């Protein structure tokens, strides 16, 4: 039987995608086929949801040199890529691409009080730092850069204040607050992409301890 008129589909490509600037993200594996993704934009939409990106993924880069992927044809089977929005590409440190859980670290995401324009920033910390509340607040102050000044409180999304590092839960969302009152706003709904598994609201009572 003649095979004339039948074009063979390109072979599937297996790639791993990391979040830009997040050395503790373990990477997400994807199988890219022409049947599943007709365009690069369709693939980027799936990446946004799968890696729980704080903003929509607009670009893919090679991890070491930052070469931008212009189309699905540029993807190479078995290679790694870095997903980013419109922010500057940050070189992936290959030594830190293991899971932060495997490294014995804690990581959560933090919104800035009253700010509905800035996405949450990741807060990876050694678990020992969680026991040093003043050190944790100082780290938050540097990373949050609140207009009101130093971070003096950390709140859950329902506004309840976290009293100690032992109450924090890995993978959850919190709000960094200064001396001002906590502003209960739709941070999660407006700043985290729809469909993300991390959009679930978690209300953790005091005394439950740090969880991985």
């Amino acid at each position: 039987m003649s095979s004339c008129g039948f074009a063979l589909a390109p072979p599937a490509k297996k790639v791993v995608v990391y979040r830009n600037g997040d050395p503790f993200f373990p990477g997400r594996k994807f199988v890219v086929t022409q049947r599943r993704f007709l365009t690069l934009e369709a693939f980027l939409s799936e990446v946004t949801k799968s890696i729980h990106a704080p903003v929509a993924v607009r670009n893919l880069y090679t991890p070491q040199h930052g070469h931008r992927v212009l189309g699905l044809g540029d993807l190479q089977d078995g290679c790694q890529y870095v997903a980013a929005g419109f922010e500057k590409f940050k070189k992936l440190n290959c030594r830190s691409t293991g899971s932060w859980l495997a490294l014995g670290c804690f990581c959560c995401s933090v919104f800035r009080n009253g700010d509905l324009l800035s996405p949450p920033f990741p807060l990876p910390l050694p678990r020992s730092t969680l026991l040093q509340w003043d050190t944790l607040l100082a780290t938050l102050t540097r990373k949050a850069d609140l207009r009101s000044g130093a971070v003096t409180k950390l709140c859950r999304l329902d506004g309840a204040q976290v009293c100690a590092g032992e109450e924090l839960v890995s993978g959850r969302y919190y709000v960094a607050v200064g001396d001002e009152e906590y502003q209960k706003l739709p941070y999660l709904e407006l700043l985290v992409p729809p469909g993300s598994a991390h959009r679930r609201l978690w209300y953790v009572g005091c005394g439950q301890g740090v969880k991985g």
Side-chain angles (χ1 to χ4, degrees), residues 36-50:
R36 185 178 182 190
F37 303 109
L38 294 178
T39 65
L40 178 62
E41 288 70 25
F43 178 55
L44 295 182
S45 178
E46 178 64 22
V47 170
T48 297
K49 293 184 290 185
S50 297

Side-chain angles (χ1 to χ4, degrees), residues 11-19 25-33 36-37 40 42-53 57 60 72 75-83:
K13 300 175 182 179
K14 297 179 181 179
V15 300
V16 178
V17 178
Y18 295 92
R19 283 200 299 245
F25 183 68
R28 175 75 163 80
K29 296 180 181 179
F30 294 89
V31 177
V32 182
T33 64
R36 185 178 182 190
F37 303 109
L40 178 62
F43 178 55
L44 295 182
S45 178
E46 178 64 22
V47 170
T48 297
K49 293 184 290 185
S50 297
I51 70 171
H52 312 309
V57 173
L60 284 180
L72 292 177
L75 296 175
Q76 300 296 314
D77 184 42
C79 288
Q80 301 173 336
Y81 297 92
V82 175

